[in-house]
Amino acid sequence: MQLVIALLLAVSALGPAPGRSGPTIGAGAVVDTVPALIRDRVGAGGGGLLAREQAQRFYAGRAYTPAWSSEEGVARDARGALALVVGAADDGLRAEDYRAADVGGTIAAMDAAVGAGARLAPARRAALDVALTDAVLSYAGHLVRGRVAPQRIHPGWALAPRGGDVVAALEAGLREGDVPSTIRRLAPSGNEYEGLREALRQYRQIERTGGWAPLPAGPTLRPGDDGAAVARLRERLAAEVPVAATNSPDVYSSELAEAVRLFQRTRGLAEDAAIGPATRAQLNVPVGRRIEQIALAMERARWIPDGLGSRYIRVDIPAFELRVMEAGEPVLEMRVIGGRPDWRTPVFSGRMTSVALSPYWNIPTSIVTDEILPAVRRDPAYLTRNEIRVVSGSGAAERIVDASGIDWSRFDPARSAYRLRQDPGPRNPLGAVKFLFPNRYNVYLHDTPNRELFAQAERAFSHGCMRVERPLELAEYVLGSQGWSREAIAEGMAAGVERVVALERPIPVHVVYQTAWIDSAGRMEFRKDLYGHDAALGAALQGTATFAADRLSGDCTSSEG
């Protein structure tokens, strides 16, 4: 299909034969008939338009006069606009969604008619005009906001859509004689999107040249090894990362080890230079899957406003990373632990409003049911040993209930007026501090006593909340502007009595999900589709049924931290 469109464009670019003035059409027929036909096509009675509302506004502003042809034939702007839509694949979009082949065929037929000295029928001119306008406006709308509404995949998505007036951009392009430039400016700004666009081009080129061959199963390869398997490894790596040239391609040299470590870094793997099962699996991901990941990342980038604010916290779930951003630059970065695949950390935005030092853990009902009750029924001393109390009421009416007086064999946490709460301290899975941003999922950022889990490359261990690697540093950043010193925060974290500090300036928190991105060094990074969100978004983009990927009510952490 791409080849056919390219051929049509090549023929169309020839235009009328030299010396030919084009068809002569009665002024009354053209001036009166074409606008009337356009008005009818974009009206409520017309069918099949993808961007009807925008097309109506566009044509109403020009009294329904045609934009893409004249009495002399197809306008130069039409060819540029068609080329723009044909190139939609460069943005991970599909030219066929905008009926580019049909528009190209119409332009070619009109060019042929003009070349033969025939008149252009008003109906054909009106059809071309509306079809090309609809194609451009639809493509422009997808550049601005994406093809799929983010709420279809993430019900908690609260970011306002990106701004951009597609009609004004098209009008400006026609005035300036450069429709492609004005429409392209609607795409997300910044180096990240353009980097993804260039990466998409590069990976498609790899695919056109045959992609890469998977590495066969075999023993773990390590520096110092040699043989044909090392030569295949070297060839495979060279498709994506720089590999130093050598006269001994079958030797696992120190230079090759550095290339392997770089590859592992860009996949979130342990950087041990060993080609074990995890690294081999990532090397064997087909290039087509990488292309899909980049295209999905571009779609997600179109969901996010160009400016998220001067100061915010961003948590990337597949990367298991937190960044505090100021003026577009990270000022604090750390690892996080996210939700397990069966307890996904949701994708949403909130506002951090308070910090709890030495927090209690009000244990969620689901965890009481699934984990605490079975333990209590096996061991009546479980609650006392883990400093978990039975609480009724709240505020001034709150009181501690004697756990020994409760029949735990009949206890139903969903119906009971009692709740279970763990005291602050070393057994508390929230650790010494939690960072609250009210949300429908009941998830937040918090400390953890299980520090060893941060050494894992893939850190999906929680019930949805996000555990932070350096909680004291994050608390110092959040509370420092309110006069809290590092020492005072540490003292509060160790006090054993909960203290909640309200933030004078709430901080936006954005929890995002990207399995492909450009890192600060300009390298392409990929991660596993941990929660299946890529599959859901891919299905939605294909027009098949999708699902709400995030739980509407989540529970934090677990009784095991």
Side-chain angles (χ1 to χ4, degrees), residues 234 238 241-251 253-256 259:
R234 184 183 296 274
V241 299
V243 180
T246 179
N247 294 324
S248 303
D250 59 348
V251 174
S253 62
S254 59
E255 291 80 8
L256 182 59

Side-chain angles (χ1 to χ4, degrees), residues 244-297:
T246 179
N247 294 324
S248 303
D250 59 348
V251 174
Y252 198 146
S253 62
S254 59
E255 291 80 8
L256 182 59
E258 279 306 304
V260 169
R261 289 190 183 93
L262 176 58
F263 177 87
Q264 291 171 328
R265 191 176 313 142
T266 62
R267 300 305 188 272
L269 301 169
E271 298 174 36
D272 57 7
I275 309 300
T279 300
R280 192 182 299 270
Q282 286 297 306
L283 286 163
N284 287 346
V285 172
V287 66
R289 169 58 185 152
R290 296 311 189 198
I291 290 170
E292 179 188 24
Q293 285 183 274
I294 296 170
L296 294 176

Side-chain angles (χ1 to χ4, degrees), residues 76-389:
R76 182 185 299 273
D77 282 328
R79 308 178 202 286
L82 177 59
L84 173 73
V85 175
V86 167
D90 294 342
D91 288 279
L93 300 169
R94 303 181 305 185
E96 55 265 34
D97 289 337
Y98 315 110
R99 303 162 188 158
D102 292 341
V103 174
T106 300
I107 290 177
M110 292 173 70
D111 282 345
V114 170
R119 292 179 172 228
L120 291 181
R124 174 165 281 180
R125 286 186 61 198
L128 168 67
D129 227 86
V130 174
L132 185 51
T133 295
D134 189 47
V136 172
L137 291 175
S138 300
Y139 168 67
H142 291 161
L143 280 185
V144 173
R145 293 182 175 87
R147 285 185 59 217
V148 173
Q151 291 83 0
R152 286 186 63 187
I153 313 299
H154 309 294
W157 189 273
L159 287 176
R162 294 181 62 246
D165 189 332
V166 298
V167 173
L170 177 54
E171 291 170 342
L174 289 168
R175 283 195 309 270
E176 299 166 12
D178 191 355
V179 170
S181 291
T182 59
I183 298 299
R184 284 288 323 149
R185 286 198 287 270
L186 295 171
S189 61
N191 295 331
E192 182 172 354
Y193 187 82
E194 284 304 313
L196 288 170
R197 201 168 188 265
E198 174 60 19
L200 184 61
R201 185 194 66 77
Q202 293 174 357
Y203 276 81
R204 282 187 171 143
Q205 178 60 28
I206 293 172
E207 185 178 50
R208 281 191 293 270
T209 56
W212 49 68
L215 298 181
T220 298
L221 297 176
R222 293 184 174 85
D225 289 345
D226 57 24
V230 174
R232 285 193 292 268
L233 168 64
R234 184 183 296 274
E235 182 179 0
R236 165 62 187 91
L237 277 175
E240 292 189 275
V241 299
V243 180
T246 179
N247 294 324
S248 303
D250 59 348
V251 174
Y252 198 146
S253 62
S254 59
E255 291 80 8
L256 182 59
E258 279 306 304
V260 169
R261 289 190 183 93
L262 176 58
F263 177 87
Q264 291 171 328
R265 191 176 313 142
T266 62
R267 300 305 188 272
L269 301 169
E271 298 174 36
D272 57 7
I275 309 300
T279 300
R280 192 182 299 270
Q282 286 297 306
L283 286 163
N284 287 346
V285 172
V287 66
R289 169 58 185 152
R290 296 311 189 198
I291 290 170
E292 179 188 24
Q293 285 183 274
I294 296 170
L296 294 176
M298 295 177 77
E299 174 71 5
R300 292 183 176 112
R302 292 187 284 264
W303 295 347
I304 299 175
D306 288 328
L308 287 174
S310 59
R311 177 176 179 249
Y312 60 90
I313 294 171
R314 172 170 171 153
V315 182
D316 293 88
I317 295 305
F320 301 106
E321 291 179 351
L322 177 149
R323 292 182 179 182
V324 178
M325 305 294 292
E326 287 188 1
E329 297 294 330
V331 296
L332 181 61
E333 299 178 78
M334 65 187 68
R335 298 176 180 182
V336 299
I337 292 168
R340 303 182 329 219
D342 57 335
W343 279 98
R344 304 166 183 157
T345 297
V347 175
F348 71 105
S349 294
R351 295 169 73 246
M352 186 183 295
T353 56
S354 61
V355 176
L357 305 174
S358 292
Y360 289 110
W361 180 35
N362 291 295
I363 307 175
T365 299
S366 63
I367 296 179
V368 172
T369 300
D370 296 341
E371 302 180 27
I372 305 296
L373 277 180
V376 172
R377 289 164 182 165
R378 289 192 304 268
D379 176 11
Y382 178 87
L383 296 182
T384 301
R385 189 171 62 257
N386 287 280
E387 300 177 325
I388 297 174
R389 302 179 187 275

